[in-house]
Amino acid sequence: MCVYHNKRRDFVARLEKRGPKKWRIVLELGIDPRTGKRKRKYKTVNGTKKQAEAIMHQLAAEYEEEGFIEPSDITVEEYLLQWLQEYAKHNVEKRTYLDYEQVIKNHIIPRLGKLKLQDLQQRHIIAYQNEKLENGRLDGKGGLSRRTVENHHRIFSQALSHAVFPYKYIKANPCSGVSAPRPSMPDIHPLTHEQARTLLDYVYEKYSYVIYALFYLALHTGLRRSELLALRWRSIDFENKRIHVTEAVEEVPGAGLVYGDTKNETSARPVDVGDDDIEVLRGLQRRNFQHYGHDKLIFLHEDGSPVRPDYITKLFRKIANKLGFHSTRFHDLRHTHATWLLQAGVNPKVVQERLGHASVTITLKRYSHVIPSMQKDAVQKLKKSLKQDSGRQYGDNIKKLPVQG
């Protein structure tokens, strides 16, 4: 009897003679932890012993490299629901889990759920993404954005990677090799200093101090909407004039407001503020004293209810249109803050840390519109630093060089 032991000694392959030129390959795969019984896989081979041994070694090598993939009738729907319950629910933030659940249950399962997981191929992924780009909105009013479909791809790929390991339902991830749609960078519309004053003056006169303070701090700190609306009074260090950004809020359909960690590790950050910013916060504290508490949210309506992200988006759109800033979104207040910093000559690395970008490359790419003017300023500063005491610049001697004819 021919026996094969793998290097890890976690399985054995052996060859048994079953008749003239008939052999059975047996893979001993250890003990099933659920039943306590031995796990075996069989394959019958017709041919010579040498041929059967070659097939046995091939099967053993495949198992050692990839593990044995049990034939399974599990569907894409059954697997994704299992993955949500067993993995995602216990390993990601609640608002991230709700996003996964919404994408999987409302989009992926209705389109691909009935397929057997082991029949899912790259062409199915490509067709799904194309359909979502063309007509993926749940209300039937056209396609989803490239950024949204990219998010679908990321979630689906993550789930399928776990179907490879540790679940071992499939040998390879069908999403591998399929490119996700690349979202185009949306245009930004930063405000000038004059436009910002016009905005704040109008809001101060027409709306509550809560809304004024929110718009003011968005312009003067560069915090994201989700970060501003998740600020609590404990986040403010009045003595050292610093805001500690640790939370973000998202409005999830069917779940309401969900508070959790910030967008990424670099988003959790301290943000220094000035005297004027502290005074605005003090003013908000005095006006909302009936709702004040160390762990209470900063931005609350007069009745004590939280200011909702969607409310701010719609309110800002209404105000911007009224003032003639038709292309400006609330998020552009963050872009305005970054633009002002770069125009003032602040090091892009400092701007990156203040905004909570994952890298300075993102900051430079996002605000490339400011770079040309920064280069001009840099040249002027260089010339000024090279100017001699006599008032003559190093480049003046160039004029006296003979011209080559």
Side-chain angles (χ1 to χ4, degrees):
M1 181 174 65
C2 180
V3 179
Y4 171 92
H5 291 274
N6 74 321
K7 295 178 182 178
R8 299 189 303 270
R9 294 275 175 176
D10 59 355
F11 78 91
V12 175
R14 69 173 187 270
L15 189 64
E16 298 177 348
K17 186 175 179 63
R18 304 295 288 176
K21 292 191 175 182
K22 189 172 184 178
W23 308 87
R24 183 170 73 171
I25 298 170
V26 183
L27 290 176
E28 296 279 0
L29 304 175
I31 304 297
D32 188 326
R34 291 174 295 181
T35 64
K37 297 180 179 180
R38 288 185 176 277
K39 294 191 297 181
R40 293 188 178 97
K41 301 298 173 188
Y42 304 95
K43 183 177 179 64
T44 300
V45 177
N46 293 312
T48 65
K49 182 179 180 180
K50 189 173 183 179
Q51 290 171 329
E53 286 178 349
I55 294 174
M56 181 188 73
H57 283 283
Q58 180 183 349
L59 288 174
E62 288 178 1
Y63 179 80
E64 186 166 12
E65 182 178 350
E66 302 175 353
F68 185 82
I69 304 300
E70 188 88 36
S72 173
D73 290 332
I74 190 171
T75 64
V76 171
E77 176 178 7
E78 290 167 342
Y79 168 68
L80 289 177
L81 294 178
Q82 178 186 6
W83 180 78
L84 279 173
Q85 183 65 31
E86 294 181 358
Y87 176 82
K89 192 172 185 178
H90 306 288
N91 288 279
V92 299
E93 289 291 325
K94 182 179 178 180
R95 60 197 181 105
T96 303
Y97 171 78
L98 291 171
D99 181 40
Y100 286 5
E101 185 180 47
Q102 187 272 139
V103 169
I104 285 172
K105 290 186 176 181
N106 294 339
H107 293 276
I108 299 175
I109 285 177
R111 175 62 182 81
L112 299 172
K114 300 306 178 187
L115 275 173
K116 286 184 180 180
L117 182 61
Q118 293 183 348
D119 291 340
L120 184 66
Q121 299 178 26
Q122 290 178 329
R123 60 186 176 86
H124 297 122
I125 310 297
I126 294 170
Y128 170 83
Q129 292 183 170
N130 290 338
E131 287 179 17
K132 289 299 173 181
L133 288 170
E134 293 171 6
N135 191 31
R137 287 175 58 101
L138 296 178
D139 59 10
K141 296 181 179 179
L144 298 173
S145 70
R146 298 175 69 85
R147 186 174 299 279
T148 299
V149 178
E150 180 191 42
N151 185 46
H152 287 205
H153 179 95
R154 180 180 57 80
I155 294 170
F156 204 9
S157 182
Q158 184 179 354
L160 292 175
S161 71
H162 289 130
V164 177
F165 185 83
Y167 285 98
K168 294 187 178 180
Y169 284 132
I170 52 179
K171 285 189 176 182
N173 184 346
C175 281
S176 298
V178 177
S179 298
R182 287 193 175 183
S184 56
M185 192 77 77
D187 292 335
I188 68 174
H189 303 278
L191 299 176
T192 65
H193 291 282
E194 184 178 350
Q195 288 173 328
R197 281 193 295 270
T198 299
L199 171 67
L200 292 178
D201 288 345
Y202 180 81
V203 172
Y204 186 84
E205 181 181 347
K206 300 290 185 180
Y207 293 90
S208 70
Y209 193 83
V210 171
I211 301 303
Y212 168 78
L214 179 66
F215 285 23
Y216 179 95
L217 288 173
L219 279 165
H220 288 260
T221 65
L223 267 62
R224 301 175 178 93
R225 181 192 64 177
S226 61
E227 295 168 344
L228 284 163
L229 296 179
L231 286 177
R232 302 177 189 274
W233 286 110
R234 67 167 183 260
S235 310
I236 311 302
D237 182 348
F238 286 101
E239 182 178 351
N240 294 303
K241 301 174 188 174
R242 185 170 295 144
I243 296 174
H244 293 278
V245 181
T246 59
E247 287 186 275
V249 62
E250 187 174 346
E251 197 160 2
V252 179
L257 297 179
V258 179
Y259 296 84
D261 291 340
T262 51
K263 186 176 180 180
N264 51 53
E265 290 183 4
T266 53
S267 294
R269 63 200 187 278
V271 176
D272 290 329
V273 294
D275 291 333
D276 293 345
D277 309 324
I278 290 294
E279 186 53 40
V280 168
L281 286 165
R282 291 285 191 196
L284 187 58
Q285 194 178 48
R286 289 191 296 269
R287 287 169 172 82
N288 263 8
F289 70 93
Q290 72 274 26
H291 301 305
Y292 176 79
H294 185 66
D295 292 324
K296 290 286 189 70
L297 293 169
I298 290 177
F299 294 105
L300 300 172
H301 292 293
E302 291 183 3
D303 63 0
S305 62
V307 177
R308 305 178 75 90
D310 190 54
Y311 168 76
I312 291 302
T313 297
K314 292 176 180 176
L315 177 63
F316 187 86
R317 168 58 45 222
K318 176 182 175 182
I319 294 171
N321 286 336
K322 177 74 175 178
L323 297 176
F325 308 150
H326 299 292
S327 300
T328 306
R329 309 154 300 157
F330 183 80
H331 195 70
D332 283 310
L333 301 187
R334 172 176 165 85
H335 294 319
T336 298
H337 180 73
T339 300
W340 288 353
L341 289 174
L342 291 168
Q343 287 175 338
V346 176
N347 189 308
K349 179 64 178 175
V350 175
V351 178
Q352 173 232 324
E353 293 171 352
R354 191 168 176 83
L355 295 179
H357 284 161
S359 71
V360 71
T361 304
I362 296 173
T363 307
L364 291 171
K365 184 177 180 180
R366 196 73 190 95
Y367 302 106
S368 58
H369 63 286
V370 187
I371 303 303
S373 62
M374 290 177 64
Q375 289 192 21
K376 289 182 180 179
D377 290 341
V379 169
Q380 294 303 317
K381 289 177 182 178
L382 175 64
K383 294 297 184 183
K384 187 176 180 180
S385 69
L386 293 176
K387 193 172 184 180
Q388 294 179 320
D389 292 340
S390 62
R392 178 169 54 83
Q393 295 183 354
Y394 290 118
D396 287 353
N397 286 332
I398 295 175
K399 300 175 184 177
K400 300 179 182 180
L401 295 176
V403 178
Q404 298 293 327

